[in-house]
Amino acid sequence: MCEISNQLKFCTCLDEKNIENINFQKRLDKFHKKQLPKSKEPFSWILYEYKGSEDSGKMGLLNMPSDKIGFSLSEEFVLDEINTKNCFDFDYKPNEGDNLQINFQRNKYWTEFLSFIFRNNKWEPDSYYTFTEKIEPKNYGILKVNK
């Protein structure tokens, strides 16, 4: 169940009423063969497990994480929440190298995101270079924010 007891809650539950696709779903399907939940919530999240380095031989430009997404969700606020509270609605203990991404679909062509990596027993803002680092989706859902 996803009750908002903290300011920030990473929910795996879905409200089956009044749902719509999160546009980021097609991109996630293509790269990870997974689906994001359907929701009217503006933010979604994906938790990745780090699997090690691997040179794919591919080159390209990456969409870099922001320090603020949507209209008010900041890197600083999220870090304060995830480093001081259990914000997940499932039994989760972060492992070294886990990557948490929070997505906001700005429009149908552009997704903004925050990215955090768990290192030395705390979350810090960072992202993996996906052409040389291998990560696999571990869990995903919608983000409830109660500021």
Side-chain angles (χ1 to χ4, degrees):
M1 180 157 61
C2 193
E3 295 179 20
I4 305 176
S5 55
N6 297 329
Q7 298 289 327
L8 193 68
K9 195 64 154 181
F10 295 90
C11 300
T12 53
C13 58
L14 304 176
D15 181 1
E16 292 300 324
K17 298 182 290 189
N18 304 319
I19 58 177
E20 67 182 42
N21 282 330
I22 297 173
N23 291 331
F24 193 71
Q25 181 176 339
K26 287 182 184 176
R27 182 172 164 203
L28 188 63
D29 276 347
K30 183 177 176 183
F31 290 110
H32 302 291
K33 305 293 189 256
K34 294 271 187 178
Q35 288 188 340
L36 280 175
K38 298 175 180 180
S39 172
K40 286 193 172 184
E41 295 295 327
F43 301 105
S44 60
W45 61 272
I46 309 167
L47 181 62
Y48 293 96
E49 182 177 357
Y50 179 71
K51 294 295 191 177
S53 294
E54 176 181 272
D55 189 359
S56 67
K58 297 178 183 175
M59 293 177 53
L61 295 175
L62 294 175
N63 184 9
M64 298 303 291
S66 302
D67 59 359
K68 184 177 179 182
I69 60 174
F71 301 104
S72 62
L73 191 59
S74 71
E75 189 176 85
E76 182 181 347
F77 171 74
V78 173
L79 277 173
D80 182 55
E81 291 289 302
I82 62 179
N83 279 322
T84 60
K85 303 171 187 167
N86 178 11
C87 298
F88 295 89
D89 76 344
F90 60 99
D91 188 24
Y92 172 63
K93 183 177 185 254
N95 294 313
E96 187 74 14
D98 280 358
N99 179 216
L100 175 64
Q101 290 183 7
I102 302 171
N103 306 296
F104 176 76
Q105 191 74 39
R106 175 64 66 186
N107 59 47
K108 77 181 205 177
Y109 303 107
W110 188 255
T111 300
E112 298 173 343
F113 69 101
L114 300 174
S115 182
F116 307 94
I117 296 178
F118 192 75
R119 290 190 185 111
N120 301 316
N121 293 317
K122 68 176 184 164
W123 291 99
E124 53 188 53
D126 202 354
S127 63
Y128 286 113
Y129 184 63
T130 55
F131 293 120
T132 58
E133 304 292 329
K134 188 174 178 183
I135 56 176
E136 291 183 4
K138 197 178 203 177
N139 212 338
Y140 54 92
I142 56 173
L143 181 65
K144 302 261 186 174
V145 182
N146 185 18
K147 281 189 158 185

